[in-house]
């Protein structure tokens, strides 16, 4: 049976690209005289724009036809034609230049919308002929009678500067832009300011200076501007340098009504300006009054969508570090809701930790207990860690926090036990010889530890308190059984813990130490582990007292401060409140490569802050808590204690041979088998996990004056 061939319909996916272009060209050029509204052309142009939006570059073949439609006196058609021109002009510049006469003609149209649209389109196109043709037109339209056209021309100067900065600097466009600051229309003034700010950001040669009279005029037109205009003006006020404390205070009071604006961008920009002006206000009472005004708008932003909430919370973290009194009494507003996204919850948790004190600790711990029973594992871990950090931060509440941790550990949930182990290790560091009675509870849950950080923390506890744990050697042997398969972090912790065991209880560690040192020096590829093992080996074989001073020496003190930026970075971040840089809490040039870094400008009214301590002086004080006490890393070796008496010369092979000989003689000379442990215990194997709370223990006080600035909630 024979069937007749039926061609595919016009909308068929089997139609080739050339066929589609031909059909669209036909539709574009069709249309009778009766079609006075150009309906057919509009439909064809909408199809072309749709294909163009989907990155269909076949549409570029219609360029001549589109230029032919640009002269049609229809704003809707012009918008679609200009959009096509902007999209494809750089691909076919030889055809695009044919549109310049049409655009120049439109800039003389009686309709200001057409004039502004043609100017905006021409300034968008990064083609030499278009840029050169735009300059004289912009000069003319900066003096246009219509404010909308003047506003568009102001923005076009910034676009031209982006295309060719040297040509703009050589012309008088920037002077004409400055003249627009005296315009009668607030929207034009705001647009000129925005354009000048953009040029200033990109230029090293142009300096933007605003005196008090100009700043006062800008503030006076704020209520008459749109939301975008208000944002532009507030941004520009950051370039005003107060020369008198009274001027700064008056300006801050005049812009403070913007804090109640419904637009989040206006509110955050206003907060930024107020924080900036506070640096030039001498009266502390006035600063406190302004801080009280900043709290309600931040709280109000938390009622908006989760994205705005997150931005407000990240900025609150910054503001609290610079001005703690801003949110001092508003901790309840940061309590998490059940439907908050995880990124909002975690940020709220950081703020709760920063705002916690002795007065509200009961309320905070009740809230954290609820968080620790939620479904989200990541959030539960953060909550458990926050409880441990509060024990370090608020000393009178330490016992209360520890009891809550033990209550959570009793649930036997694996990830809770592991997080609790990590933070309890830090509690031991903060309060030596106070809460060791809970070691037994931790030892009961050794089987739950399968993460490197938790294992390292538990090994650190066993090694540090080997003289208090009867079966510390048996516990270490359990961990050492899988020494070769453990991560380097755990291997380092096991190495140091074994040496600590040997120093505190020689009879218990005499067999383990040579075995672990041999593994670490001969059966590992990690240079850190191998070098540390050689260091311990030479210390033990040379001077036991020096080894004891180094391995069991004082540890740098730890504090429970949340992530704190250094003063220089914090100053810069506070000058960028509301920007993307504050989300990452990174300097602005880290986020935006070409952004101009901001600093407080010198002025007689500038209130001096404490000079930041150089990193070379800070030393250990700036190490993070995750470094100190993390399973045999910097917590277990204090480089500030000199290794007095340690062997310091000869080659490595000779040192290893000497140590082998020394160990055998040292073991015999110490008569370990006869005398039992020298630091407590009777040398017998204990059953179960027993903690000898009354065994003698040397109390090591933390070094005075040493602080730590680590991120405790990460």
């Amino acid at each position: 049976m024979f069937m007749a061939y039926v061609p595919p319909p016009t909308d068929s996916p089997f139609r080739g690209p050339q066929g589609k272009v031909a059909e669209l060209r036909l539709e574009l050029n069709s249309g009778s005289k009766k079609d006075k509204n150009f309906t057919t052309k509009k439909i064809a142009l909408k199809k072309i724009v749709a294909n163009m939006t989907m990155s269909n570059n076949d549409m570029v073949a219609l360029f001549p036809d589109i230029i032919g439609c640009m002269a049609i006196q229809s704003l809707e058609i012009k918008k679609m034609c200009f959009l096509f021109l902007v999209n494809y002009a750089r691909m076919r510049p030889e055809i695009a230049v044919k549109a310049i006469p049409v655009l120049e003609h439109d800039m003389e149209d009686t309709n200001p919308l057409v004039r502004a649209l043609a100017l905006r389109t021409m300034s968008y196109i990064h083609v030499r002929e278009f840029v050169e043709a735009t300059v004289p037109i912009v000069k003319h339209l900066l003096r246009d009678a219509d404010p909308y056209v003047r506003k568009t021309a102001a923005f076009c100067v910034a676009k031209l500067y982006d295309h060719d900065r040297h040509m703009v600097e050589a012309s008088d466009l920037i002077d004409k832009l400055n003249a627009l600051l005296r315009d009668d229309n607030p929207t034009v003034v705001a647009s000129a300011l925005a354009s000048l700010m953009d040029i200033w950001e990109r230029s090293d040669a142009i300096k933007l200076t605003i005196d008090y009279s100009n700043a006062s005029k800008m503030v006076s037109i704020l209520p008459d501007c749109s939301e975008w205009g208000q944002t532009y003006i507030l941004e520009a006020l950051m370039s005003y340098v107060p020369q008198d404390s009274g001027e700064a205070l008056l300006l801050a009071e005049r812009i403070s009504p913007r804090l109640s604006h419904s637009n989040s961008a206006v509110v955050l920009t206003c907060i930024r300006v107020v924080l900036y002006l506070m640096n030039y206000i001498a009266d502390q009472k006035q600063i406190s009054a302004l801080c009280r005004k900043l709290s309600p708008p931040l709280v109000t932003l938390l009622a908006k969508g989760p994205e705005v909430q997150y931005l407000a919370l990240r900025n609150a973290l910054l503001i609290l570090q610079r001005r703690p009194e801003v949110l001092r009494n508003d901790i309840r507003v940061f309590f998490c809701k059940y439907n908050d996204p995880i990124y909002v919850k975690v940020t709220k948790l950081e703020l709760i930790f920063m705002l916690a004190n002795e007065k509200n600790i009961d309320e905070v711990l009740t809230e954290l207990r609820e968080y620790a029973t939620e479904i989200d594992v990541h959030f539960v871990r953060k909550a458990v860690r926050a409880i441990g950090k509060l024990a370090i931060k608020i000393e009178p509440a330490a016992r209360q926090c520890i009891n809550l941790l033990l209550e959570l550990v009793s649930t036997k949930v694996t990830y809770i036990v592991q997080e609790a182990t990590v933070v309890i290790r830090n509690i031991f560091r903060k309060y030596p010889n106070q809460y060791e009675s809970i070691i037994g509870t931790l030892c009961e849950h050794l089987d739950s530890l399968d993460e490197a950080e938790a294992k390292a923390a538990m090994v650190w506890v066993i090694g540090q308190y080997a003289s208090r744990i009867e079966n510390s050697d048996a516990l270490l042997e359990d961990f050492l059984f899988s020494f070769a398969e453990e991560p380097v972090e755990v291997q380092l912790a096991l190495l140091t813990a074994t040496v600590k065991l040997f120093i505190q209880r020689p009879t218990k560690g005499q067999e383990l130490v040579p075995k672990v040192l041999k593994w670490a020096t001969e059966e590992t590829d990690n240079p850190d582990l191998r070098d540390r093992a050689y260091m311990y080996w030479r210390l033990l074989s040379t001077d036991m007292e020096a080894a004891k001073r180094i391995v069991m020496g004082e540890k740098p003190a730890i504090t429970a401060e949340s992530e704190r930026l250094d003063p220089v970075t914090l100053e810069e971040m506070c000058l960028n409140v509301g920007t993307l840089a504050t989300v990452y809490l990174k300097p602005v040039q880290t986020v935006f490569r070409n952004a101009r870094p901001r600093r407080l400008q010198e002025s007689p009214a500038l209130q001096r802050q404490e000079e930041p301590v150089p990193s070379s002086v800070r030393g250990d004080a700036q190490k993070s808590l995750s470094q100190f006490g993390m399973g045999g890393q910097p917590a277990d070796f204090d480089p500030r204690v000199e290794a007095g008496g340690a062997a310091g010369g000869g080659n490595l092979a000779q040192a290893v041979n000497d140590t082998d000989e020394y160990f055998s003689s040292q073991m015999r000379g110490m008569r370990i088998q006869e005398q039992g442990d020298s630091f407590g215990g009777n040398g017998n194997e204990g059953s179960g996990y027993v903690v000898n709370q009354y065994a003698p223990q040397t109390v090591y006080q933390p070094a005075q004056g040493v602080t730590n600035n680590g991120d405790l909630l990460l």
Side-chain angles (χ1 to χ4, degrees):
M1 185 175 72
F2 296 98
M3 297 183 64
Y5 169 73
V6 179
T10 55
D11 293 333
S12 170
F14 300 106
R15 185 175 70 254
Q18 296 302 322
K20 180 185 288 189
V21 170
E23 289 178 11
L24 288 172
R25 178 179 287 116
L26 185 62
E27 291 182 35
L28 202 59
N29 295 323
S30 63
S32 60
K33 294 182 180 179
K34 296 181 180 179
D35 189 9
K36 294 183 180 180
N37 293 326
F38 309 103
T39 306
T40 306
K41 292 185 184 294
K42 289 178 182 178
I43 294 173
L45 283 168
K46 287 177 182 178
K47 291 180 182 178
I48 293 170
V49 170
N51 280 277
M52 181 183 71
T53 307
M54 294 186 292
S55 302
N56 186 350
N57 289 331
D58 297 325
M59 297 296 107
V60 75
L62 296 170
F63 218 141
D65 305 278
I66 296 293
I67 292 177
C69 295
M70 286 173 59
I72 298 175
Q73 293 303 310
S74 168
L75 189 59
E76 188 177 357
I77 289 178
K78 284 184 180 296
K79 285 181 178 179
M80 289 188 282
C81 291
F82 291 169
L83 182 62
F84 184 97
L85 178 64
V86 171
N87 199 64
Y88 288 125
R90 297 185 70 177
M91 292 178 62
R92 301 293 295 274
E94 71 281 358
I95 301 178
V97 294
K98 297 177 181 178
I100 293 178
V102 182
L103 291 169
E104 290 175 339
H105 180 268
D106 283 341
M107 289 181 205
E108 298 175 359
D109 196 285
T110 56
N111 187 345
L113 292 177
V114 174
R115 297 200 300 274
L117 180 61
L119 178 61
R120 184 185 296 115
T121 303
M122 203 164 182
S123 64
Y124 266 128
I125 300 171
H126 190 57
V127 174
R128 169 58 53 187
E129 291 81 1
F130 279 85
V131 175
E132 292 175 349
T134 306
V135 173
I137 297 172
V138 169
K139 290 181 181 180
H140 173 68
L141 293 183
L142 281 170
R143 302 189 303 271
D144 194 273
D146 191 276
Y148 181 74
V149 179
R150 297 199 301 275
K151 182 201 81 166
T152 306
F155 283 122
C156 286
V157 176
K159 293 193 185 84
L160 288 174
Y161 192 85
D162 186 37
H163 295 325
D164 189 341
R165 63 177 59 191
H166 301 294
M167 183 179 66
V168 174
E169 289 173 358
S171 68
D172 59 346
L173 281 173
I174 295 179
D175 294 333
K176 292 182 179 296
L177 200 57
N178 276 310
L180 279 187
L181 296 177
R182 296 185 291 274
D183 198 277
D184 296 332
N185 189 285
T187 303
V188 175
V189 175
S191 302
L193 274 172
S195 187
L196 286 169
M197 289 289 291
D198 187 74
I199 293 172
W200 171 73
E201 283 278 353
R202 299 170 187 271
S203 172
D204 296 326
I206 297 175
K207 185 178 180 182
L208 183 66
T209 56
I210 299 176
D211 57 16
Y212 180 71
S213 61
N214 283 329
S216 182
K217 179 185 176 183
M218 288 158 55
V219 173
S220 65
I221 64 173
L222 268 174
D224 301 322
C225 293
S226 64
E227 296 172 347
W228 287 107
Q230 292 185 37
T231 306
Y232 298 147
I233 290 174
L234 291 170
E235 285 270 5
L237 285 174
M238 295 292 293
S239 298
Y240 162 65
V241 182
Q243 300 300 310
D244 179 74
S245 180
E247 291 180 1
L249 177 60
L250 181 59
L251 211 58
E253 291 288 352
R254 290 178 65 187
I255 67 170
S256 57
R258 300 301 103 200
L259 292 170
S260 58
H261 201 282
S262 59
N263 186 281
S264 307
V266 175
V267 173
L268 286 171
T269 311
C270 186
I271 290 174
R272 185 199 314 171
V273 179
V274 173
L275 286 172
Y276 165 69
L277 293 173
M278 281 183 189
N279 294 290
Y280 297 91
I281 298 175
D283 191 345
Q284 290 300 317
K285 291 184 179 179
Q286 297 293 343
I287 290 178
S288 299
L290 287 172
C291 287
R292 287 194 294 271
K293 290 183 178 181
L294 294 183
S295 181
L298 280 171
V299 173
T300 303
L301 290 177
L302 298 180
K304 295 183 179 289
E307 294 81 8
V308 176
Q309 280 189 54
Y310 182 65
L311 181 61
L313 291 169
R314 298 299 288 181
N315 283 280
L317 286 173
L318 271 179
I319 295 169
L320 273 176
Q321 292 185 47
R322 185 67 184 85
R323 304 286 179 184
E325 62 269 31
V326 169
L327 293 162
R328 181 172 291 162
N329 301 317
D330 293 314
I331 192 169
R332 289 187 62 86
V333 301
F334 298 113
F335 286 173
C336 300
K337 300 177 182 177
Y338 75 96
N339 58 349
D340 281 339
I342 182 62
Y343 56 88
V344 171
K345 286 183 176 180
V346 170
T347 312
K348 283 184 175 181
L349 197 58
E350 292 186 44
L351 284 162
I352 291 171
F353 174 79
M354 292 179 70
L355 293 169
N357 53 42
E358 290 185 44
K359 295 180 181 179
N360 58 27
I361 187 63
D362 293 334
E363 189 178 21
V364 169
L365 289 179
T366 302
E367 190 73 11
L368 292 178
R369 180 189 287 110
E370 294 295 322
Y371 299 163
T373 58
E374 288 210 8
I375 298 173
D376 192 297
V377 175
H378 178 67
F379 184 56
V380 171
R381 286 176 178 272
K382 292 279 189 181
V384 174
R385 189 160 291 203
I387 295 170
K389 304 308 176 285
L390 287 173
I392 298 171
K393 177 184 178 182
I394 307 173
E395 187 169 347
R399 171 57 68 181
Q400 193 176 352
C401 295
I402 291 171
N403 291 337
L404 178 54
L405 285 173
L406 294 178
E407 178 186 330
L408 294 172
V409 167
S410 64
T411 61
K412 298 183 179 180
V413 179
T414 304
Y415 50 86
I416 292 180
V417 173
Q418 299 193 118
E419 286 298 324
T421 303
V422 173
V423 295
I424 287 174
R425 182 266 314 274
N426 296 329
I427 292 172
F428 287 161
R429 283 281 315 282
K430 175 70 174 178
Y431 308 110
N433 205 33
Q434 291 190 35
Y435 301 108
E436 284 81 357
S437 58
I438 66 177
I439 294 176
T441 306
L442 291 181
C443 292
E444 293 173 2
H445 298 85
L446 289 180
D447 295 337
S448 301
L449 306 180
D450 55 10
E451 292 183 358
E453 188 179 5
K455 280 186 178 181
M458 192 64 222
V459 169
W460 184 90
V461 171
I462 295 171
Q464 188 70 21
Y465 300 100
S467 60
R468 307 287 296 273
I469 304 174
E470 287 290 348
N471 57 342
S472 53
D473 58 328
L475 297 178
L476 275 181
E477 278 192 289
D478 289 342
F479 283 105
L480 289 170
F481 182 76
S482 57
F483 181 85
E485 290 79 30
E486 296 290 355
V488 175
E489 179 184 345
V490 180
Q491 289 179 335
L492 288 166
L494 286 169
L495 172 61
T496 304
T498 307
V499 174
K500 286 181 177 180
L501 173 67
F502 177 72
I503 289 173
Q504 296 180 73
R505 308 178 72 175
T507 57
K508 297 288 187 181
Q510 60 177 331
E511 296 181 0
L512 291 180
V513 167
K515 182 167 58 175
V516 175
L517 289 175
K518 181 177 174 61
W519 289 343
T521 54
E522 298 180 7
E523 301 179 14
T524 181
D525 296 328
N526 186 275
D528 293 335
L529 180 62
R530 187 170 58 244
D531 290 350
R532 184 176 293 192
Y534 280 131
M535 181 198 71
Y536 285 147
W537 202 333
R538 297 181 70 180
L539 274 175
L540 294 173
S541 62
T542 306
D543 189 341
M544 287 292 292
E545 287 302 318
K548 179 182 176 183
R549 288 200 306 272
I550 292 174
V551 179
M552 299 301 298
E554 291 182 356
K555 310 296 184 294
I558 60 174
T559 60
E561 295 299 327
S562 63
E563 180 183 354
R564 302 192 72 85
L565 301 170
D566 65 87
V568 175
T569 305
L570 180 61
E571 175 188 302
E572 182 183 354
M573 296 302 298
C574 287
L575 298 178
N576 289 280
V577 166
T579 66
L580 192 59
T582 57
V583 175
Y584 294 104
L585 290 181
K586 299 287 185 184
V588 66
Q589 283 190 305
T590 306
V591 183
F592 304 106
R593 185 183 306 169
N594 297 322
R596 181 189 291 268
R598 293 188 175 181
R599 295 284 184 271
L600 290 175
Q601 300 299 314
E602 290 297 328
S603 164
L606 180 62
Q607 305 302 306
R608 301 291 178 182
Q609 303 296 323
E610 287 187 10
E611 291 295 326
V613 182
S615 57
S616 58
V617 177
R618 289 196 300 262
D620 287 336
Q622 294 300 319
K623 290 184 180 178
S624 67
L625 182 59
S626 58
Q627 287 179 301
F628 289 138
M630 182 175 287
Q633 294 187 50
D636 300 306
F637 173 65
D638 190 352
R640 297 171 300 175
V641 182
E642 291 191 8
N651 58 52
L652 190 59
Q654 183 62 40
V656 173
N657 292 332
D658 292 344
T659 54
D660 287 335
E661 295 177 7
Y662 185 84
F663 259 111
S664 58
S665 60
Q666 186 79 353
M667 296 296 184
R668 290 193 298 271
M670 292 170 65
R671 293 182 296 170
I672 293 174
Q673 302 294 342
E674 301 174 9
Q675 64 184 3
D677 287 350
S678 59
F679 284 83
N682 54 14
N684 298 325
E685 293 294 330
S687 60
Y689 302 116
V690 181
V691 179
N692 183 0
Q693 299 180 40
Y694 306 102
Q697 161 100 4
T698 304
V699 179
Y700 298 102
Q701 297 297 332
Q704 297 298 319
V706 183
T707 58
N708 169 64
N709 296 329
D711 183 1
L712 303 189
L713 299 184
L714 288 180

